[in-house]
Amino acid sequence: MKKFNFRKVLDGLTAASPVGSSGGGSGSGAGGSVHPGGTAGAAGTPREEIQETLTSDYFQICKTVRHGFPYLPTALAFDPVQKILAIGTRTGAIRILGRPGVDCYCQHESGAAVLQLQFLINEGALVSACADDALHLWNLRQKQPAILHSLKFNRERITYCHLPFQSKWLYVGTERGNTHIVNIESFILSGYVIMWNKAIELSTKTHPGPVVHLSDSPRDEGKLLIGYENGTIVFWDLRSKRADLRAYYDEAIHSVAWHHEGKQFMCSHSDGSLTLWNLKSPNRPFQTTIPHGKVQRDGKKPESCKPILKVEYKTCKNSEPFVVFSGGLSYDKPCRRPSLTIMHGKAITVLEMDHPIVDFLTLCETPYPNEFQEPYAVVVLLEKDLIVVDLTQTNFPIFENPYPIDIHESPVTCTEYFADCPPDLIPVLYSVGAKHKKQGYSNKEWPISGGAWNLGAQTYPEIIITGHADGSVKFWDASAITLQMLYKLKTSKVFEKQKVGEGKATAEIVEEDPFAVQMMYWCPESRIFCVAGVSAYVIVYRFSKHEVNTEIASLEVRLQSEVEDIITPEPETNPPFPDASSQLPSLKSLSGSTNTVACEGTMKDSIPCLSVKARPVRMPPGYQADLVIQLVWVDGEPPQQITSLAVNSAYGLVAFGNCNGLAVVDFMQKTVLLSMGTLDLYGSSDPYQRQPRSPRKSRQFAAGLTELSDSPVSLELERCKSPTSDHVNGHCTSPTSQSCSSGKRLSSADVSRANRRGPGRPPFRKAQSAACMEISLPVTTEENRENSFSRSRSSSVSSIDRDSKEAITALFFMESFARKNDSAVSSCLWVGTGLGMVIILSLNLPASDDLRHSEPVVVSPSGTVLTLKGAVLTFACLDCMGTLTHQPYEVWRDPHSADDGDKTRKRKLVMHSPSSSQDMGDHQFAVICSEKQAKVFSLPSQTCLYVHNITETSFLLRADVVTLCNSVCLACFCANGHIMTLSLPSLRPLLDMNYLPVTDMRIARTFCFTNEGQALYLSSPTEIQRLTYSQEMCDNLQDMLGDLFTPVETPEAQNRGFLKGLFGGSGQAFDREELFGEATAGKASRSLAQHIPGSGGIEGVRGAAGGVIGDLTRARIALDERGQKLGELDERTASMMASAEAFSKHAHEVMLKYKDKKWYQF
């Protein structure tokens, strides 16, 4: 184990020389170096030894599990014996679901859309047909399924597949109307082909269209029903290779369903009709109905309806059959929602859905098609939901869905992830969330109950929090790689509902979703929760188990940079931090006179974007609003979006900032302590000579106006600057926007055009004032992203004037040394800005807790300013032994508990501050990470001990100091896709992997790290992808995942009786192997389809290693390879035999020619 030594420096001494840095390329550097700060006089100080236990062997990245609804679903399949469900998507993904905890994600490498899925029932395998005309066989007998075989069709497009129960021959219909047969075991085409021109009558002059349906007769497996798109139905005899019967209908066919006896079948058509056909009279259907068509008075055919896309015909032993279909609604009701119709006897029930229906399946008691089906449920796959309807009850209730598929109920706008949080939180949140559950679900158990799952070794509690566009916040139990919703909080309930005519006030800064959650801050120990919304507000929540009825306290804050108002070159004479008493405005309700909206044409001032409810509000148990803080319009300019947020329960303070400045609010006394521009925070410590603007005679007031700089001088201050103040909000500002030489102002129309929604913008973007950003560039392609993320932006001492609005990008409360000469820690607020500046503010709290509600809190500058490259992202504090120091917090107590007496009202604080009385407790390390580099400072000397340049050509999107294996490290996610970890405090690179390309700003906005080597991001608008960067968790992942396949006995077929067996046909007499095998049918053309061995062969062996299954799998793969080699040998042998035969024939002809000739005739 390597030890890192450094010198402890005397207080007040500065570094003797500039700190060197480790080189950094794209995503990583060469490693941090130790830089002893101080002079030779410090050499006599005692040495400190910090043992860093983490090495690169502790780190490895892999994806663990994906939660949520499959994005853009296209296909559905169900195994009635294993009771697992598979969903295919347009992006080539497959999700396999079983009992809660059994949730598997697979991805086709091609990314082609999944057209159809077919389970090999109770075999632990799945066939997928994709839009690139490839068939794939997936092995489900391992925890992470893999492809065993693939078959790529070269000349025909796949349109429909059918795999009979307990058969190894797959029927494949194509766009040309042909039907091919594939051996599932070897994944090789049979020579048996049903050509379209043989299937239809010779007299037919038109092509029947693509194959839209294939199924074998329940009565006789030797008969295949083929449905063509134009309305032609062919009943093909596989033995005699001819059509037994043909039926024609003048409307296109969408689907076909058999009656279980195999004597009749039903078709759905494009005119909204259902036709019932009898095999004995195929000339015309014996029953035609248009279920939703209006009956004409004169006895004519009912009017046409929308197409019935799918129908299922399921029989019951003790009741009428069920006919279930999607579509078929009347055209005269265009606004009706998509529906599923259930016909049972004479009763017709229409179930309206919230989203379009993609597919549905009827779940039946038996897997055998020739028995009474006894349907008990219908699984309905919608574009954005999965619903299961209970058919056993007359009112058809739906089952309560145990899967977390409603993550996207409202679009996710931000995420936070907490691993190893207090264990009592999950049951407490569940108890308050359970009271809001809906009623009216089916009382039956969830029918998709296959697979097996156990808790595994990982037992620490994990919570994921998602913020949404409608203002809702969801708390999820994420323990043991599962996901279950605990509690939902609606932040919009503190505001008045906007009326239709009142949208203009907000519309100037918010395009839509004015309540969208932009940032969240949660303290699990104190249960304080804070939310920043897109309409420039902050809500502080306290947790209570008791319902209350109370008014909502609210404050208004003016936060606007006033640099443009400077009209003389003299410096300001007013102190930057006024007296504390002037910073304590009284609590006011937003319903007062200050809320009167200015008349049309007048300048808006001191008006918030939203109105807080003035009346008492009933707050149920759970999180209850304690204080609402709103930024207001200032001189006709709207408030800017909040870019940083922090709250501390021990101090009773909440701090937030934007591109204009910083606000600090005392949420215990409900007062504003600080509200000022970023430049004023420096006070006399401002390292830059900021030039005032030239005087102007008049000032134009318009929302979203800005003056672009006319100073192109460049300096290293903003080097490689990324759009940090804006990338949090989901879009990118160009780091190289050209400055206007004329210094002209943008018109409000220009600004609105620049802020129009682009493909890379989130759904909740506001038309942000251009005053705090340069030209907005929605990121759509990787090339654009590299250009916008990686260029360098010009800046100089004089061009600070252009970037006078310096965004606050990071905030952190901690017990620290605020100044160089401090001998003990004190309460501090660390402030990081978009220019890489770190400002430390001192917090003077009342000496005793009894005075906390009466004495004012004073915020004052410490004079300490530190610098980094790029915008500051995160802070952390380590004690003198290198252990992570947690922020102070107040132990949670119920604010509305009935048994709280005077004694119990006293707050219990946990300060986590190192004791100065200890021999080694008189200094600490401050870890600061910006989008470009990380630095570790020794406090109170403020010497930079370590620095690591993380990237030069890109920038970090997220950085978190996390614990792993009882140690601590810095985890970083870079815009170029690299995930990195650095040791602390020495900043040695431990991991650097180009793992996750930022293909969408959604990833950049939602990626977050947490303790124990875990992270997550939103992989699609509906799915959360979790990953781990811990080697230990990668090694244990197999134990944590659920089993998709469990040994289950296939149910026995019912005894059909002697007469039915004699006259009803029997599938046992039909030998598919004899008919479709190579001996009888020959080989298919090699150019028709190409067999591709799957990469999952060896993985399948490893997954099934040990026991009979492993041996069988190995043997099967060996046989496949041997068969393939024998096939190649056969072809070569046949070619040689043909060549030899031709040679023999030619030689015989020559012999006959010269047989009777004499020697002199040659």
Side-chain angles (χ1 to χ4, degrees):
M1 190 179 300
K2 195 172 180 180
K3 294 183 180 178
F4 288 85
N5 301 327
F6 58 87
R7 298 177 184 275
K8 182 178 161 189
V9 205
L10 295 174
D11 293 348
L13 292 179
T14 56
S17 60
V19 176
S21 64
S22 56
S26 174
S28 68
S33 303
V34 181
H35 301 280
T39 61
T45 56
R47 288 179 177 269
E48 306 290 347
E49 293 186 359
I50 292 190
Q51 295 183 346
E52 294 184 358
T53 57
L54 292 179
T55 64
S56 58
D57 296 335
Y58 283 77
F59 296 93
Q60 176 63 41
I61 298 180
C62 69
K63 292 178 181 177
T64 54
V65 68
R66 183 171 292 209
H67 303 296
F69 182 76
Y71 185 53
L72 301 174
T74 54
L76 186 66
F78 183 71
D79 186 325
V81 179
Q82 287 289 320
K83 295 192 181 301
I84 55 175
L85 186 81
I87 299 173
T89 75
R90 199 179 301 169
T91 58
I94 299 176
R95 285 283 290 282
I96 304 171
L97 303 169
R99 67 175 68 247
V102 178
D103 185 344
C104 181
Y105 168 80
C106 325
Q107 176 69 47
H108 291 94
E109 287 185 8
S110 65
V114 178
L115 299 180
Q116 198 175 350
L117 295 171
Q118 288 267 312
F119 274 104
L120 277 67
I121 295 175
N122 205 25
E123 293 288 336
L126 176 73
V127 174
S128 60
C130 295
D132 60 350
D133 306 306
L135 297 171
H136 307 277
L137 178 65
W138 294 83
N139 178 15
L140 306 186
R141 293 185 179 233
Q142 55 196 69
K143 293 193 174 184
Q144 291 177 310
I147 293 176
L148 290 172
H149 299 283
S150 296
L151 189 66
K152 179 79 166 63
F153 280 74
N154 298 322
R155 298 188 307 204
E156 299 195 48
R157 308 296 308 271
I158 298 172
T159 55
Y160 195 87
C161 298
H162 170 63
L163 180 65
F165 178 46
Q166 294 181 328
S167 167
K168 68 173 185 178
W169 297 94
L170 174 74
Y171 301 111
V172 181
T174 68
E175 196 174 38
R176 293 188 182 180
N178 302 325
T179 302
H180 301 276
I181 301 170
V182 178
N183 185 316
I184 288 297
E185 292 181 346
S186 62
F187 239 58
I188 296 175
L189 272 179
S190 165
Y192 192 114
V193 184
I194 305 172
M195 304 299 289
W196 68 271
N197 53 351
K198 299 286 180 64
I200 64 172
E201 285 185 327
L202 295 175
S203 58
T204 308
K205 296 181 180 179
T206 57
H207 190 279
V211 175
V212 295
H213 178 81
L214 291 168
S215 61
D216 53 336
S217 167
R219 195 180 185 189
D220 184 357
E221 294 175 349
K223 304 289 178 67
L224 185 68
L225 188 71
I226 308 172
Y228 295 94
E229 190 180 61
N230 73 344
T232 301
I233 299 164
V234 176
F235 196 48
W236 183 264
D237 188 330
L238 293 166
R239 299 181 189 88
S240 61
K241 300 183 182 180
R242 62 180 180 82
D244 268 9
L245 60 88
R246 298 179 179 90
Y248 300 94
Y249 195 71
D250 54 4
E251 292 291 340
I253 292 176
H254 283 281
S255 70
V256 183
W258 279 101
H259 187 281
H260 82 275
E261 291 180 349
K263 298 177 182 178
Q264 50 185 285
F265 57 88
M266 182 179 288
C267 300
S268 70
H269 301 277
S270 57
D271 64 344
S273 64
L274 295 173
T275 55
L276 200 57
W277 300 77
N278 196 311
L279 293 181
K280 292 183 178 179
S281 53
N283 295 329
R284 59 187 180 87
F286 75 86
Q287 183 180 323
T288 303
T289 57
I290 302 181
H292 295 297
K294 287 185 178 178
V295 180
Q296 305 292 343
R297 291 182 179 178
D298 52 2
K300 292 182 180 178
K301 181 183 175 183
E303 63 179 22
S304 296
C305 294
K306 296 176 183 177
I308 294 178
L309 301 177
K310 183 175 181 179
V311 64
E312 292 209 341
Y313 186 22
K314 302 297 181 182
T315 53
C316 301
K317 196 168 187 177
N318 300 318
S319 68
E320 296 286 330
F322 280 90
V323 176
V324 185
F325 62 87
S326 61
L329 295 179
S330 174
Y331 279 108
D332 62 353
K333 295 180 180 177
C335 296
R336 283 189 67 173
R337 294 189 293 178
S339 67
L340 184 81
T341 304
I342 301 173
M343 299 170 64
H344 188 215
K346 294 183 179 179
I348 299 180
T349 305
V350 179
L351 305 177
E352 290 192 335
M353 304 295 170
D354 292 331
H355 309 285
I357 296 173
V358 175
D359 198 359
F360 73 89
L361 286 173
T362 308
L363 308 188
C364 301
E365 296 289 353
T366 176
Y368 295 94
N370 56 359
E371 298 177 356
F372 281 105
Q373 297 298 288
E374 303 295 346
Y376 59 90
V378 180
V379 179
V380 189
L381 178 63
L382 309 178
E383 277 189 2
K384 294 184 178 181
D385 204 355
L386 179 71
I387 290 173
V388 182
V389 181
D390 186 354
L391 292 181
T392 62
Q393 300 181 44
T394 53
N395 59 339
F396 301 133
I398 65 171
F399 289 87
E400 185 175 8
N401 199 319
Y403 307 135
I405 60 170
D406 56 346
I407 292 173
H408 63 287
E409 186 178 15
S410 173
V412 177
T413 54
C414 56
T415 58
E416 292 295 338
Y417 191 6
F418 299 86
D420 206 9
C421 49
D424 59 332
L425 276 175
I426 289 176
V428 164
L429 287 169
Y430 184 79
S431 66
V432 295
K435 297 175 183 177
H436 304 291
K437 289 201 171 181
K438 296 177 183 177
Q439 304 298 321
Y441 289 114
S442 170
N443 54 12
K444 300 283 182 69
E445 287 190 7
W446 182 250
I448 305 164
S449 56
W453 179 79
N454 53 16
L455 196 59
Q458 179 187 330
T459 55
Y460 52 83
E462 300 172 69
I463 291 178
I464 293 172
I465 308 177
T466 55
H468 299 264
D470 64 353
S472 61
V473 175
K474 293 179 180 178
F475 291 76
W476 306 83
D477 177 7
S479 307
I481 67 170
T482 61
L483 197 69
Q484 181 182 9
M485 196 172 86
L486 296 171
Y487 172 67
K488 182 178 178 181
L489 171 66
K490 296 180 179 178
T491 64
S492 60
K493 288 202 168 182
V494 304
F495 299 106
E496 297 284 359
K497 288 184 179 178
Q498 286 187 301
K499 296 179 181 177
V500 179
E502 293 179 353
K504 293 182 180 178
T506 328
E508 295 189 32
I509 65 161
V510 178
E511 291 178 0
E512 55 191 35
D513 298 318
F515 306 114
V517 178
Q518 197 170 5
M519 303 185 80
M520 301 177 295
Y521 194 101
W522 189 44
C523 176
E525 290 81 9
S526 64
R527 303 185 190 176
I528 291 282
F529 183 60
C530 203
V531 167
V534 75
S535 297
Y537 63 81
V538 171
I539 309 174
V540 181
Y541 287 91
R542 288 182 183 271
F543 187 85
S544 175
K545 296 180 181 179
H546 303 278
E547 180 178 316
V548 293
N549 203 338
T550 183
E551 290 191 12
I552 301 171
S554 57
L555 288 173
E556 291 176 3
V557 177
R558 289 174 69 92
L559 193 59
Q560 196 79 358
S561 177
E562 300 295 335
V563 174
E564 291 184 346
D565 288 337
I566 300 175
I567 58 173
T568 58
E570 288 82 28
E572 283 193 54
T573 56
N574 296 331
F577 285 79
D579 182 66
S581 61
S582 65
Q583 291 289 322
L584 302 176
S586 59
L587 178 65
K588 54 182 177 285
S589 166
L590 293 186
S591 61
S593 60
T594 56
N595 260 354
T596 53
V597 179
C599 300
E600 187 97 7
T602 62
M603 185 174 60
K604 292 182 181 178
D605 191 54
S606 301
I607 302 169
C609 300
L610 302 170
S611 297
V612 178
K613 290 179 179 177
R615 61 187 181 278
V617 177
R618 185 188 73 84
M619 298 182 187
Y623 275 105
Q624 300 166 350
D626 188 56
L627 177 65
V628 179
I629 309 157
Q630 286 186 288
L631 297 181
V632 296
W633 287 67
V634 178
D635 297 335
E637 293 215 2
Q640 299 302 318
Q641 285 184 346
I642 292 165
T643 55
S644 56
L645 176 68
V647 65
N648 189 279
S649 56
Y651 302 160
L653 302 180
V654 58
F656 58 93
N658 62 9
C659 60
N660 286 331
L662 172 70
V664 181
V665 173
D666 183 340
F667 63 80
M668 295 179 70
Q669 296 186 24
K670 310 291 191 292
T671 54
V672 180
L673 302 179
L674 177 74
S675 172
M676 62 170 53
T678 314
L679 306 187
D680 298 329
L681 293 174
Y682 292 99
S684 59
S685 304
D686 191 350
Y688 301 111
Q689 300 291 324
R690 302 181 194 259
Q691 299 297 322
R693 293 183 184 274
S694 58
R696 287 197 294 268
K697 293 182 181 178
S698 62
R699 183 177 178 184
Q700 302 174 33
F701 297 99
L705 300 190
T706 185
E707 183 167 308
L708 298 180
S709 166
D710 53 2
S711 173
V713 186
S714 71
L715 187 74
E716 201 224 351
L717 174 66
E718 280 187 316
R719 52 244 148 211
C720 260
K721 179 79 172 81
S722 81
T724 304
S725 60
D726 291 315
H727 80 242
V728 185
N729 303 329
H731 78 286
C732 184
T733 56
S734 166
T736 53
S737 52
Q738 299 295 321
S739 55
C740 295
S741 57
S742 61
K744 72 166 188 173
R745 284 180 168 270
L746 296 173
S747 69
S748 57
D750 292 334
V751 173
S752 65
R753 278 197 295 272
N755 286 287
R756 256 181 220 143
R757 172 98 62 93
R761 303 275 291 280
F764 62 93
R765 280 298 305 153
K766 69 192 261 190
Q768 187 172 13
S769 163
C772 69
M773 65 181 182
E774 295 179 343
I775 298 171
S776 171
L777 289 180
V779 178
T780 53
T781 65
E782 199 66 34
E783 182 182 356
N784 291 343
R785 184 172 298 105
E786 283 300 316
N787 292 341
S788 61
F789 281 5
S790 306
R791 291 180 190 161
S792 139
R793 204 160 57 172
S794 65
S795 174
S796 68
V797 170
S798 60
S799 71
I800 293 294
D801 172 63
R802 174 185 57 142
D803 273 308
S804 58
K805 296 192 174 180
E806 182 180 354
I808 305 295
T809 57
L811 295 166
F812 188 66
F813 289 102
M814 68 168 145
E815 294 284 297
S816 180
F817 299 93
R819 300 172 183 85
K820 281 191 178 183
N821 55 359
D822 283 357
S823 59
V825 295
S826 59
S827 303
C828 298
L829 173 61
W830 289 59
V831 181
T833 76
L835 294 183
M837 311 304 295
V838 177
I839 306 163
I840 303 179
L841 303 181
S842 291
L843 307 174
N844 190 0
L845 298 167
S848 67
D849 192 59
D850 298 336
L851 302 174
R852 180 61 185 85
H853 287 274
S854 56
E855 292 286 324
V857 178
V858 179
V859 183
S860 58
S862 67
T864 300
V865 177
L866 307 174
T867 60
L868 286 87
K869 283 184 185 178
V872 179
L873 294 182
T874 191
F875 298 102
C877 184
L878 309 180
D879 66 15
C880 58
M881 301 302 295
T883 306
L884 183 65
T885 302
H886 294 281
Q887 296 185 60
Y889 66 87
E890 174 192 358
V891 177
W892 176 80
R893 57 186 173 86
D894 199 322
H896 305 297
S897 179
D899 57 352
D900 268 358
D902 294 336
K903 294 182 180 179
T904 56
R905 296 303 295 178
K906 189 172 182 180
R907 301 194 307 152
K908 182 181 179 182
L909 304 182
V910 179
M911 299 307 288
H912 282 303
S913 58
S915 171
S916 58
S917 63
Q918 293 178 350
D919 182 39
M920 301 175 66
D922 54 354
H923 74 280
Q924 60 182 195
F925 304 110
V927 181
I928 308 173
C929 185
S930 74
E931 61 189 9
K932 292 290 182 182
Q933 66 178 186
K935 284 186 178 182
V936 174
F937 291 90
S938 176
L939 300 179
S941 66
Q942 297 178 10
T943 305
C944 181
L945 296 176
Y946 305 95
V947 62
H948 181 77
N949 285 342
I950 298 171
T951 177
E952 295 291 345
T953 58
S954 187
F955 63 92
L956 295 186
L957 293 166
R958 179 85 183 208
D960 290 292
V961 175
V962 294
T963 57
L964 177 69
C965 300
N966 298 317
S967 191
V968 62
C969 65
L970 175 65
C972 308
F973 175 50
C974 195
N976 60 16
H978 284 249
I979 294 177
M980 293 159 280
T981 58
L982 304 173
S983 69
L984 289 177
S986 66
L987 298 178
R988 287 178 300 112
L990 299 172
L991 171 74
D992 184 357
M993 186 177 290
N994 189 0
Y995 189 74
L996 182 65
V998 185
T999 54
D1000 197 296
M1001 286 308 297
R1002 183 190 314 106
I1003 298 174
R1005 196 175 66 244
T1006 58
F1007 193 99
C1008 54
F1009 296 98
T1010 188
N1011 298 328
E1012 307 303 332
Q1014 298 208 65
L1016 67 79
Y1017 63 94
L1018 212 67
S1019 57
S1020 73
T1022 63
E1023 295 168 290
I1024 287 175
Q1025 177 67 57
R1026 290 164 68 179
L1027 54 90
T1028 181
Y1029 50 95
S1030 161
Q1031 179 69 59
E1032 183 184 6
M1033 190 168 179
C1034 288
D1035 294 340
N1036 297 331
L1037 185 60
Q1038 287 291 327
D1039 299 330
M1040 300 165 66
L1041 296 174
D1043 290 298
L1044 296 174
F1045 179 81
T1046 53
V1048 179
E1049 286 286 334
T1050 302
E1052 291 186 6
Q1054 294 177 3
N1055 188 0
R1056 303 182 65 201
F1058 174 74
L1059 292 177
K1060 282 191 176 181
L1062 187 63
F1063 299 108
S1066 172
Q1068 302 300 323
F1070 176 60
D1071 188 353
R1072 293 188 178 92
E1073 181 68 37
E1074 181 182 345
L1075 197 58
F1076 303 145
E1078 189 177 321
T1080 307
K1083 289 185 176 181
S1085 169
R1086 291 177 62 86
S1087 61
L1088 181 61
Q1090 177 188 1
H1091 176 259
I1092 305 167
S1095 60
I1098 301 303
E1099 292 174 23
V1101 172
R1102 289 175 186 158
V1108 180
I1109 296 176
D1111 296 335
L1112 285 174
T1113 312
R1114 293 188 194 92
R1116 176 170 289 183
I1117 293 170
L1119 283 172
D1120 287 343
E1121 293 174 353
R1122 182 170 177 270
Q1124 195 171 352
K1125 290 175 181 175
L1126 285 174
E1128 294 172 0
L1129 184 63
D1130 283 348
E1131 288 179 7
R1132 275 193 242 116
T1133 305
S1135 175
M1136 291 174 65
M1137 286 179 66
S1139 176
E1141 189 176 344
F1143 178 78
S1144 171
K1145 184 179 179 182
H1146 183 66
H1148 186 68
E1149 289 174 352
V1150 171
M1151 183 269 292
L1152 292 175
K1153 181 178 179 182
Y1154 297 105
K1155 179 181 178 183
D1156 298 324
K1157 291 188 178 183
K1158 303 293 183 183
W1159 62 269
Y1160 51 82
Q1161 291 178 318
F1162 284 101

